[in-house]
């Protein structure tokens, strides 16, 4: 966090000055480690074993916040009798189909609760599911596209609030994590039992009624084939300790740059619409009624799905969207398959994807398997690149590594590249949404030079020009574009008024008045809203994101600095900060409480609950939507109102996290016979070979990371002289033991090689990367800053050329951990490089096109 998020880390240092214990778990000793009280070096990709052992420590020593767990989680829910755990099936859960590589979650359900079909099934080609237990219909256990709450269960099912029933979630958790011991942590992660005990004691002693602990993770935690389950394990841990929904607790997802959160809220993703509404599927959603059926009428706030969807359609198509045409629902695109990033790159290589926009990204350097990225770019008809600098993704055709090796020839590449210069963040006005879900408004400091334009201006102008070309069209296919409400005000320079866009996102009523929040949205067409979770950001006609009231003029929650979604709540699920009866768990941690005299929830934050819902309220059995939220059910986006320690639906690779080895690993999985994540997704292509695990040819682990002087793929930092002076050349970090073993000398060159490619870097011999003892073998890790490429002041090979594309099945994000060899000296040049890599592949027995979805067999 200090390395990549130094501005936010100032608050960690403030907490440290007040006595907080800072624990840093990371393969490297970094700037964060330097100020931490405890640094635990961990083998990259083994986090579930470590977190799972913390869960086991909590459960086996009765250190959970029991009242919180019983009242606010599904710990008491009883699971179907047919459920089998990884303990029973040696690393698999019941319902796994080895042919499809997918789970049927029929046996994961609550007893007595029929699951509802979910609108966000990931794979449109996948049938809705075979009949599960008791004849229920279950979709394949694909990841939900719902960002808040996920899939729904029809009721809380049967519960045992004593937590003694052998099939209740609490007992299943205890059995599942029992093998995750400190000794296993040492064997899997390389963390000693003594150090583990220090961490476990520090965390648990600072959790409970009087105290809370927070977990911060960076985007690197998502870059694993089990990334979603890593984060779920931390959520299970924090929920057991009562650290969710309470001040000083929670889990903070540190984002890669200023508005990564915003780019998922108002998405750049293929399978969701603004506010985490699912993209409709061609096979399932022929009309609006079918689209909202999976959510409309649910318990919780997803029960208002129809209002969110209709208001979004009105925002898109304005007057053209009417009840008679289902508010132009047919204008929305439909999913017919996976259109995620790496699948798109594969389609480019295969000649099925002809055009590509790259906006603020540099996949030739910043994405996994750079060679595969560049081969895809070279097979396009056209490519549009918008950036501040002439990045590698714009110049691959003349100076990419494959030009040097002869694998690509400039004159034979038919891609027409359009480079359009972009405005920087200080050269445009607009909002960004940072890691706290907080929208903040930036005013333009200076005008952009020359032809540089903001994204808002570019896309608006592109829309205007396309609509002009189509204005006389009578083709029904063109109506969605022609009917768009595309009429934003522009200034004398032709720049779009960003605040008008923010107003549209906020939402308006039929008279054009701004809405004050998402509870005002209707499904009759009388409201329009571009993103329901952002509704309220322009309440009262005031840009709430622009507020900058200094802290000395407001309380410690600082609700008048920017605006946080939803409804300016600074702490999600904050009803959980009070006991079931509405009184504070402790005066020290008082936050949101029930005021019986006023008949409402009060506190320094906006209650994340129905404001006047009495704690004793018990909804009738037939209640739907918000009316079905009980007074003691804080998790209002879940259909049962509970935090899910066990996921009966919506997770592609199991209802509980389990440790699986990365696709490329130097060791066997000591916990189960199942080596890798059985649901992992891959790209089978000759450009994406996978190293065999436990290979003497590729004996070392490599992982990538970022430094303070670097910004992601380098487009903004490799071109700045003063940053280049601080980090002048590509380097790799190795331990003294590895340096001795391979004859590497500090400051000299080394070649790092995988089955994909080989790169060179200067050697930094350092104790910051420790040799790890795992059982009876040593494991060494090679650390690689992923910043470098062929352009800019500081140039070098891209470490992401080494990374394979094997993806988490829930979110389709690649694994950043792999195996490699490292040798002293510089890499070969020209065609000799491909021959060098091919020799490694031959000796390791690497096939050209491995099957990544082989039912979980050893890769």
């Amino acid at each position: 966090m200090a390395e990549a998020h130094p501005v936010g880390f100032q608050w960690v240092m403030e907490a440290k000055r007040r006595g907080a214990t800072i624990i840093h778990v990371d393969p490297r000793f970094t700037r964060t480690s330097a100020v931490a009280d405890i640094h635990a070096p961990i083998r990259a990709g083994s986090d579930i074993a470590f977190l799972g052992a913390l869960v086991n420590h909590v459960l086996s020593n009765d250190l959970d916040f029991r009242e919180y767990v019983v009242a606010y989680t599904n710990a008491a829910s009883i699971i179907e009798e047919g459920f089998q755990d990884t303990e029973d099936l040696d690393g698999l859960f019941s319902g796994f189909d080895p042919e499809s590589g997918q789970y049927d979650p029929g046996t994961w359900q609550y007893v007595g609760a029929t699951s509802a079909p979910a609108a966000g099934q990931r794979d449109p080609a996948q049938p809705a599911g075979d009949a599960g237990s008791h004849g229920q219909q279950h979709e394949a256990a694909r990841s939900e596209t719902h960002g808040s709450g996920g899939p729904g269960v029809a009721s809380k099912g049967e519960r045992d609030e004593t937590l003694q029933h052998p099939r209740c979630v609490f007992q299943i958790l205890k059995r599942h994590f029992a093998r995750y011991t400190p000794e296993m942590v040492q064997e899997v992660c390389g963390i000693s039992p003594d150090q583990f005990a220090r961490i476990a004691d520090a965390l648990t002693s600072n959790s409970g009624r009087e105290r809370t602990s927070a977990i911060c993770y960076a985007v690197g935690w998502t870059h694993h084939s089990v990334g979603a389950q890593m984060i779920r394990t931390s959520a299970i841990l924090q929920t057991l300790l009562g650290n969710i929904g309470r001040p000083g607790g929670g889990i903070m997802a540190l984002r890669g740059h200023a508005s990564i959160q915003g780019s998922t809220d108002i998405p750049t993703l293929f399978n969701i619409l603004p506010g985490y509404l699912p993209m409709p599927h061609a096979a399932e959603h022929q009309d609006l009624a079918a689209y909202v059926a999976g959510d409309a009428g649910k318990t919780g706030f997803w029960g208002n799905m129809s209002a969110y969807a209709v208001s979004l359609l009105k925002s898109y198509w304005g007057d053209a969207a009417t009840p008679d045409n289902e508010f132009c629902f047919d204008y929305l695109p439909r999913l017919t398959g996976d259109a995620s990033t790496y699948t798109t790159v594969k389609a480019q290589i295969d000649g099925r994807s002809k055009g590509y926009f790259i906006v603020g990204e540099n996949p030739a350097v910043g994405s996994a398997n750079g060679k595969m990225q560049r081969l895809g770019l070279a097979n396009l008809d056209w490519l549009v690149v918008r950036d501040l600098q002439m990045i590698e993704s714009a110049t691959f055709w003349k100076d990419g590594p494959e030009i040097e090796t002869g694998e690509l020839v400039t004159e034979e590449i038919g891609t027409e590249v359009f480079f359009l210069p972009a405005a920087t963040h200080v050269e445009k006005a607009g909002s960004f949404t940072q890691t706290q879900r907080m929208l903040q408004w930036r005013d333009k400091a200076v005008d952009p030079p020359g032809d540089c334009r903001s994204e808002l201006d570019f896309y608006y102008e592109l829309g205007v020009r396309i609509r002009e070309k189509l204005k006389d069209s009578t083709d029904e296919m063109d109506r969605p574009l022609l009917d768009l409400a595309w009429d934003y005000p522009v200034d004398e320079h032709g720049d779009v008024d960003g605040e008008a866009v923010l107003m549209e996102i906020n939402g308006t009523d039929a008279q054009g008045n701004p809405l004050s929040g998402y509870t005002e949205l209707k499904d009759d067409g009388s409201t329009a809203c571009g993103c329901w979770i952002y509704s309220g950001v322009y309440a009262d006609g005031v840009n709430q994101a622009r507020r900058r009231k200094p802290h000395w003029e407001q309380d410690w929650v600082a609700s008048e600095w920017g605006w946080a979604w939803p409804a300016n709540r600074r702490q999600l699920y904050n009803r959980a900060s009070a006991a079931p009866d509405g009184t504070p768990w402790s005066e020290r941690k008082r936050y949101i409480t029930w005021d019986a005299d006023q008949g409402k929830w009060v506190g320094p934050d906006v209650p994340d609950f129905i404001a006047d819902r009495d704690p004793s309220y018990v909804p009738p059995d037939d209640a739907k939507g918000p009316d079905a939220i009980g007074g003691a059910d804080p998790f209002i986006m879940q259909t049962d109102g509970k935090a899910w320690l066990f996921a009966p639906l919506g997770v592609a690779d199991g209802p509980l996290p389990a440790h699986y080895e990365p696709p490329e690993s130097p060791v066997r999985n000591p916990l189960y016979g199942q080596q890798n994540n059985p649901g992992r997704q891959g790209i089978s292509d000759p450009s994406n070979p996978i190293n065999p695990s436990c290979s003497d040819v590729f004996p070392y682990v490599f992982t990538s990371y970022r430094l303070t002087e670097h910004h992601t793929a380098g487009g903004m930092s490799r071109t700045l002289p003063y940053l280049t002076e601080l980090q002048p050349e590509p380097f790799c970090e190795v331990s003294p033991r590895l340096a001795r073993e391979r004859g590497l000398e500090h400051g000299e060159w080394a070649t790092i090689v995988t089955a994909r490619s080989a790169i060179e870097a200067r050697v930094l011999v350092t104790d910051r990367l420790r040799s790890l003892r795992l059982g009876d073998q040593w494991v060494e890790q090679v650390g690689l800053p992923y910043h470098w490429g062929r352009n800019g002041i500081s140039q070098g090979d891209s470490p992401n050329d080494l990374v394979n594309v094997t993806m988490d099945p829930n979110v389709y994000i690649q694994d950043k951990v792999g195996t490699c060899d490292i040798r002293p000296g510089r890499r070969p040049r020209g065609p000799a490089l491909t021959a060098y890599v091919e020799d490694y592949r031959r000796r390791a027995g690497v096939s050209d096109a491995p099957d990544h979805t082989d039912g979980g067999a050893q890769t």
Side-chain angles (χ1 to χ4, degrees), residues 290-534:
Y291 173 68
V292 301
D295 290 285
K298 274 186 182 179
T299 59
F301 274 91
W302 275 115
N304 290 335
M305 165 78 163
S306 181
Y308 310 150
V310 170
S311 296
L312 177 64
L313 294 170
K314 285 293 292 183
S315 175
Y316 283 160
W317 286 289
D319 292 340
T322 67
D324 292 339
N325 61 20
E326 293 194 313
F327 303 103
C328 295
F329 177 73
D330 279 346
Y331 285 179
L332 281 178
R334 302 291 198 274
L335 288 180
T336 56
D338 171 19
S340 59
T341 298
Y342 294 109
T343 304
T344 299
V345 173
K346 170 64 172 171
Q348 294 169 359
I349 293 173
D350 294 343
R352 294 180 285 110
S353 179
K354 301 296 187 180
Y356 205 40
F357 280 77
I358 294 176
V359 182
E361 303 265 351
N362 191 9
V365 168
S367 293
N369 196 334
K371 179 178 181 178
M372 191 174 77
Q373 302 290 331
R374 294 185 293 269
L375 291 178
L377 297 177
N379 207 33
L380 295 168
D381 288 349
W382 55 266
L383 170 66
V384 175
V385 179
R386 280 184 43 78
D387 212 287
L388 312 178
Q389 306 287 343
M390 197 64 71
I391 57 174
E392 288 80 2
S393 296
T395 65
F396 71 93
W397 53 274
K398 66 174 182 175
D399 55 16
E402 291 71 36
I403 303 298
E404 176 191 324
T405 61
E407 295 167 276
L408 290 175
V409 178
T410 296
E411 291 75 15
E412 296 176 1
I413 296 174
T415 308
E416 185 175 10
V417 182
F418 301 88
F419 182 84
L420 301 173
T424 71
H425 61 285
V426 299
E427 296 165 350
K428 57 190 176 186
S431 68
F432 66 97
T433 309
Q434 43 93 306
T435 193
Q436 280 179 274
R437 300 170 286 104
M438 185 191 292
L439 282 78
Q440 293 175 269
W441 188 266
R442 290 190 281 221
D443 292 309
K444 184 166 66 171
V446 295
D447 290 326
D451 292 330
C452 297
R453 301 285 299 276
S454 70
E455 280 70 42
L456 178 57
D457 290 339
F458 169 74
Y459 285 114
Y460 176 68
E461 179 66 19
L462 181 62
V464 167
R465 294 192 185 193
I466 291 173
R467 282 154 56 88
E468 177 64 24
K469 285 181 176 292
L470 297 176
K471 66 180 181 180
D472 297 324
S473 172
T474 58
D475 191 332
E476 195 65 23
M477 187 176 72
D478 296 330
R479 292 314 316 167
L481 280 167
L482 293 172
D483 287 345
L484 272 177
W486 202 253
D487 50 359
Y488 303 101
V490 297
D491 63 17
E492 65 274 14
H493 305 295
D495 295 335
V496 180
D497 180 1
E499 290 195 277
V501 179
L502 189 64
M503 170 77 91
E504 180 184 30
I505 290 170
N506 173 86
T508 54
D509 62 20
Q511 288 73 45
N513 301 310
L515 302 175
S516 62
Y518 64 84
T519 55
E520 297 180 2
L521 297 177
K522 309 291 185 184
D523 63 2
D524 60 2
S526 62
T527 59
C529 179
C531 182
W532 72 275
I533 60 175
Y534 280 21

Side-chain angles (χ1 to χ4, degrees), residues 29-272:
F29 187 94
T30 72
R31 288 171 166 102
T32 307
S33 317
V35 296
D37 298 281
I38 301 172
H39 170 241
I42 188 172
R43 178 169 64 98
S46 65
D47 304 67
I48 288 175
F50 169 73
L51 294 165
L54 289 173
V55 171
N56 182 30
H57 177 81
V58 170
L59 294 173
S60 58
N61 292 286
D62 293 327
L63 296 170
D64 58 288
F65 188 175
R66 186 60 56 88
E67 300 99 318
Y68 180 105
V69 169
V70 172
Y72 294 160
T73 81
N74 67 351
S77 298
I78 300 171
I79 304 303
E80 290 278 3
E81 189 172 2
F83 172 70
Q84 292 179 284
D85 200 352
T86 50
E87 311 307 296
D88 308 307
L89 300 175
D90 201 16
L92 294 172
F93 298 94
S94 52
F96 186 71
D97 179 357
E99 292 189 10
S100 67
Q102 295 183 352
Y103 278 104
D104 174 356
T107 57
W108 308 353
Q109 309 302 300
Y110 299 161
V111 169
T114 304
S115 63
Q121 185 179 325
R122 277 298 292 261
D123 184 359
Q126 177 71 23
D130 298 327
S133 57
H134 306 301
Q136 293 175 212
Q137 292 294 316
H138 300 286
E139 68 198 43
R142 310 306 295 160
S143 172
E144 280 296 312
T145 51
H146 290 192
S148 299
V153 291
S155 72
K156 297 174 186 176
E158 295 181 18
R159 288 172 58 87
D160 172 19
E161 310 238 332
T162 70
L163 305 186
Q164 297 305 306
H165 192 289
R167 296 200 318 278
C168 78
V169 164
F170 190 79
Q171 295 298 329
I172 291 173
L173 276 180
K174 293 181 74 169
R175 293 192 297 270
H176 177 82
F177 286 109
R179 65 172 64 196
Y180 291 75
T181 62
E183 293 72 26
M184 187 62 75
V185 169
Q186 183 170 35
E187 183 175 353
V188 177
C189 309
I191 297 172
S192 71
D194 287 344
Q195 189 171 50
F196 175 84
R198 286 184 63 202
I199 295 170
D201 180 65
L203 178 62
T204 56
S205 64
N206 197 64
S207 302
R209 279 185 177 269
E210 297 292 333
R211 307 187 70 85
T212 52
S213 297
I215 291 178
C216 301
Y217 73 89
V219 290
W221 227 7
T222 68
H223 293 174
H224 297 280
S225 55
V226 290
Q229 295 282 18
M230 284 183 182
I231 297 157
R232 283 198 67 237
T233 321
S234 71
I236 291 169
L237 176 64
Q238 286 290 73
T239 305
L240 287 171
L241 293 172
N243 285 328
I244 301 295
R246 302 177 64 209
I251 300 172
M252 178 170 283
L254 301 167
R255 305 306 193 176
H257 61 72
S259 202
I260 288 288
Q261 182 66 57
S263 71
T264 49
D265 298 340
I266 300 184
T268 54
L269 303 174
F270 78 97
N271 57 343
I272 55 176

